[in-house]
Amino acid sequence: MTLLKIKNLSLTIQDKSILKSINLEINNGEIYGLLGESGSGKSMTAAAITQLLPQFSKLGGEVNLNNNNFIGKTDSEMCKIRGNQI
C-alpha cells in the first residue's frame, strides 16, 4: 500500500524554478533516504511536502499521503496534517 506518492512536484520561488518534476513513491513500512549534493533540493523537497515554504512560493504537481492530495490546502488544514500525520 502506498503511504506517500509524489507526482511531478515542482516549486518556484519568486519565479525562479527550484524543483522540477520530482516523482517518488514510499510504501507502507518502507524506509526511504533522499541523497544528493549540497544544493540539489533535498531540503526544499521536504519543505514542499510539508508546505513549509517561503513567501511567494508556488507548488505544482501532487503530494498524496494516504491518497489525500496536499497541494492547494490552506495553512490551517496543513497545520492539522503536519501535527497529526507527518
Side-chain angles (χ1 to χ4, degrees), residues 24-82:
L24 65 90
E25 190 171 314
I26 302 173
N27 292 312
N28 225 0
E30 288 185 330
I31 297 173
Y32 195 88
L34 188 59
L35 305 173
E37 295 180 19
S38 178
S40 65
K42 301 176 302 291
S43 295
M44 291 310 295
T45 299
I49 291 169
T50 58
Q51 292 192 35
L52 293 172
L53 295 165
Q55 199 172 22
F56 307 113
S57 299
K58 292 182 186 176
L59 278 175
E62 295 180 22
V63 175
N64 292 290
L65 179 67
N66 295 321
N67 293 319
N68 183 13
N69 188 12
F70 292 176
I71 303 296
K73 297 237 184 247
T74 66
D75 193 47
S76 62
E77 290 172 318
M78 285 304 300
C79 282
K80 291 175 187 174
I81 292 167
R82 284 191 293 263

Side-chain angles (χ1 to χ4, degrees), residues 4-10 19-26 32 34 45 61-62:
L4 178 68
K5 185 174 185 176
I6 298 173
K7 187 175 179 183
N8 296 320
L9 182 66
S10 63
L19 301 174
K20 297 178 188 176
S21 297
I22 304 291
N23 293 288
L24 65 90
E25 190 171 314
I26 302 173
Y32 195 88
L34 188 59
T45 299
E62 295 180 22

Side-chain angles (χ1 to χ4, degrees), residues 6-18:
I6 298 173
K7 187 175 179 183
N8 296 320
L9 182 66
S10 63
L11 172 65
T12 58
I13 301 174
Q14 293 184 337
D15 297 324
K16 182 178 180 186
S17 180
I18 306 298

